[in-house]
Short mmCIF file of all heavy atoms in Angstrom, two decimals:
data_model
loop_
_atom_site.label_atom_id
_atom_site.label_comp_id
_atom_site.label_asym_id
_atom_site.label_seq_id
_atom_site.Cartn_x
_atom_site.Cartn_y
_atom_site.Cartn_z
N THR A 551 -4.90 -3.00 -3.12
CA THR A 551 -3.63 -2.26 -3.16
C THR A 551 -3.49 -1.66 -4.55
O THR A 551 -3.78 -2.35 -5.54
CB THR A 551 -2.44 -3.21 -2.89
OG1 THR A 551 -2.70 -3.95 -1.70
CG2 THR A 551 -1.14 -2.43 -2.74
N ALA A 552 -3.05 -0.44 -4.61
CA ALA A 552 -2.84 0.23 -5.91
C ALA A 552 -4.10 0.10 -6.78
O ALA A 552 -4.00 -0.03 -8.00
CB ALA A 552 -1.61 -0.34 -6.62
N GLY A 553 -5.25 0.12 -6.15
CA GLY A 553 -6.50 0.06 -6.92
C GLY A 553 -6.86 -1.33 -7.39
O GLY A 553 -7.81 -1.50 -8.15
N ARG A 554 -6.10 -2.35 -6.95
CA ARG A 554 -6.36 -3.71 -7.42
C ARG A 554 -6.75 -4.60 -6.25
O ARG A 554 -6.21 -4.49 -5.15
CB ARG A 554 -5.11 -4.29 -8.09
CG ARG A 554 -4.68 -3.51 -9.32
CD ARG A 554 -3.34 -4.02 -9.84
NE ARG A 554 -3.50 -5.29 -10.56
CZ ARG A 554 -3.74 -5.37 -11.86
NH1 ARG A 554 -3.84 -4.27 -12.59
NH2 ARG A 554 -3.88 -6.55 -12.43
N ILE A 555 -7.70 -5.50 -6.53
CA ILE A 555 -8.10 -6.49 -5.53
C ILE A 555 -7.24 -7.74 -5.75
O ILE A 555 -7.15 -8.26 -6.87
CB ILE A 555 -9.60 -6.85 -5.69
CG1 ILE A 555 -10.48 -5.60 -5.60
CG2 ILE A 555 -10.01 -7.91 -4.67
CD1 ILE A 555 -10.50 -4.92 -4.25
N HIS A 556 -6.61 -8.18 -4.66
CA HIS A 556 -5.72 -9.34 -4.81
C HIS A 556 -5.69 -10.13 -3.51
O HIS A 556 -6.09 -9.63 -2.45
CB HIS A 556 -4.30 -8.88 -5.18
CG HIS A 556 -3.66 -8.03 -4.12
ND1 HIS A 556 -2.75 -8.51 -3.20
CD2 HIS A 556 -3.82 -6.70 -3.83
CE1 HIS A 556 -2.37 -7.53 -2.40
NE2 HIS A 556 -3.01 -6.42 -2.75
N ALA A 557 -5.23 -11.35 -3.61
CA ALA A 557 -5.15 -12.21 -2.42
C ALA A 557 -4.03 -11.71 -1.51
O ALA A 557 -2.96 -11.30 -1.99
CB ALA A 557 -4.87 -13.65 -2.84
N ALA A 558 -4.31 -11.74 -0.21
CA ALA A 558 -3.28 -11.35 0.75
C ALA A 558 -2.08 -12.28 0.58
O ALA A 558 -2.24 -13.48 0.33
CB ALA A 558 -3.83 -11.45 2.17
N GLY A 559 -0.90 -11.72 0.63
CA GLY A 559 0.29 -12.54 0.47
C GLY A 559 0.74 -12.67 -0.98
O GLY A 559 1.79 -13.21 -1.27
N LYS A 560 -0.10 -12.17 -1.89
CA LYS A 560 0.31 -12.18 -3.31
C LYS A 560 0.42 -10.74 -3.78
O LYS A 560 -0.25 -9.85 -3.23
CB LYS A 560 -0.72 -12.93 -4.16
CG LYS A 560 -0.75 -14.41 -3.86
CD LYS A 560 -1.49 -15.15 -4.97
CE LYS A 560 -1.55 -16.63 -4.66
NZ LYS A 560 -2.50 -17.32 -5.54
N PRO A 561 1.22 -10.50 -4.79
CA PRO A 561 1.40 -9.11 -5.22
C PRO A 561 0.14 -8.55 -5.88
O PRO A 561 -0.68 -9.33 -6.41
CB PRO A 561 2.55 -9.19 -6.23
CG PRO A 561 2.56 -10.61 -6.70
CD PRO A 561 2.03 -11.44 -5.57
N PRO A 562 -0.04 -7.22 -5.86
CA PRO A 562 -1.23 -6.60 -6.46
C PRO A 562 -1.41 -7.00 -7.93
O PRO A 562 -2.53 -7.19 -8.39
CB PRO A 562 -0.94 -5.10 -6.35
CG PRO A 562 0.07 -4.96 -5.26
CD PRO A 562 0.85 -6.23 -5.22
N GLU A 563 -0.29 -7.22 -8.64
CA GLU A 563 -0.38 -7.55 -10.07
C GLU A 563 -1.09 -8.89 -10.28
O GLU A 563 -1.62 -9.17 -11.36
CB GLU A 563 1.02 -7.63 -10.72
CG GLU A 563 1.84 -6.35 -10.62
CD GLU A 563 2.42 -6.12 -9.23
OE1 GLU A 563 2.95 -7.06 -8.63
OE2 GLU A 563 2.29 -4.97 -8.73
N SER A 564 -1.11 -9.73 -9.25
CA SER A 564 -1.78 -11.02 -9.37
C SER A 564 -3.31 -10.87 -9.37
O SER A 564 -4.03 -11.78 -9.75
CB SER A 564 -1.37 -11.94 -8.22
OG SER A 564 -1.89 -11.43 -7.00
N GLY A 565 -3.80 -9.68 -8.94
CA GLY A 565 -5.24 -9.49 -8.83
C GLY A 565 -5.81 -8.75 -10.03
O GLY A 565 -5.24 -8.77 -11.13
N VAL A 566 -6.95 -8.10 -9.81
CA VAL A 566 -7.61 -7.37 -10.90
C VAL A 566 -7.96 -5.96 -10.42
O VAL A 566 -8.15 -5.74 -9.22
CB VAL A 566 -8.92 -8.07 -11.36
CG1 VAL A 566 -8.62 -9.45 -11.91
CG2 VAL A 566 -9.95 -8.13 -10.25
N PRO A 567 -8.06 -5.01 -11.35
CA PRO A 567 -8.51 -3.67 -10.95
C PRO A 567 -9.90 -3.77 -10.31
O PRO A 567 -10.74 -4.55 -10.77
CB PRO A 567 -8.58 -2.90 -12.28
CG PRO A 567 -7.69 -3.65 -13.22
CD PRO A 567 -7.77 -5.09 -12.79
N PHE A 568 -10.11 -2.97 -9.26
CA PHE A 568 -11.37 -3.11 -8.51
C PHE A 568 -12.59 -2.89 -9.39
O PHE A 568 -13.67 -3.45 -9.17
CB PHE A 568 -11.40 -2.18 -7.29
CG PHE A 568 -11.66 -0.73 -7.62
CD1 PHE A 568 -12.96 -0.23 -7.63
CD2 PHE A 568 -10.62 0.13 -7.91
CE1 PHE A 568 -13.22 1.10 -7.93
CE2 PHE A 568 -10.87 1.46 -8.21
CZ PHE A 568 -12.16 1.95 -8.23
N GLY A 569 -12.44 -2.04 -10.42
CA GLY A 569 -13.57 -1.74 -11.30
C GLY A 569 -14.09 -2.99 -11.99
O GLY A 569 -15.29 -3.10 -12.29
N GLU A 570 -13.19 -3.95 -12.24
CA GLU A 570 -13.63 -5.18 -12.92
C GLU A 570 -14.56 -6.01 -12.04
O GLU A 570 -15.46 -6.69 -12.52
CB GLU A 570 -12.41 -6.02 -13.33
CG GLU A 570 -11.65 -5.38 -14.48
CD GLU A 570 -10.49 -6.25 -14.95
OE1 GLU A 570 -10.42 -7.45 -14.60
OE2 GLU A 570 -9.64 -5.70 -15.68
N ILE A 571 -14.35 -5.94 -10.73
CA ILE A 571 -15.25 -6.64 -9.81
C ILE A 571 -16.64 -6.02 -9.90
O ILE A 571 -17.65 -6.72 -10.01
CB ILE A 571 -14.73 -6.53 -8.36
CG1 ILE A 571 -13.28 -7.02 -8.24
CG2 ILE A 571 -15.68 -7.21 -7.37
CD1 ILE A 571 -13.11 -8.50 -8.31
N LEU A 572 -16.68 -4.68 -9.86
CA LEU A 572 -17.98 -4.00 -9.92
C LEU A 572 -18.67 -4.30 -11.24
O LEU A 572 -19.87 -4.58 -11.29
CB LEU A 572 -17.79 -2.49 -9.75
CG LEU A 572 -17.14 -2.03 -8.44
CD1 LEU A 572 -17.12 -0.51 -8.36
CD2 LEU A 572 -17.89 -2.58 -7.24
N THR A 573 -17.90 -4.26 -12.33
CA THR A 573 -18.47 -4.52 -13.65
C THR A 573 -19.03 -5.94 -13.71
O THR A 573 -20.12 -6.17 -14.22
CB THR A 573 -17.39 -4.32 -14.74
OG1 THR A 573 -16.88 -2.98 -14.59
CG2 THR A 573 -17.96 -4.49 -16.13
N ALA A 574 -18.29 -6.87 -13.14
CA ALA A 574 -18.76 -8.27 -13.13
C ALA A 574 -20.08 -8.39 -12.38
O ALA A 574 -20.92 -9.23 -12.71
CB ALA A 574 -17.70 -9.16 -12.49
#
Side-chain angles (χ1 to χ4, degrees):
T551 308
R554 299 173 76 89
I555 303 294
H556 63 99
K560 292 195 181 167
E563 301 76 45
S564 68
V566 298
F568 76 91
E570 288 183 15
I571 305 286
L572 300 184
T573 304

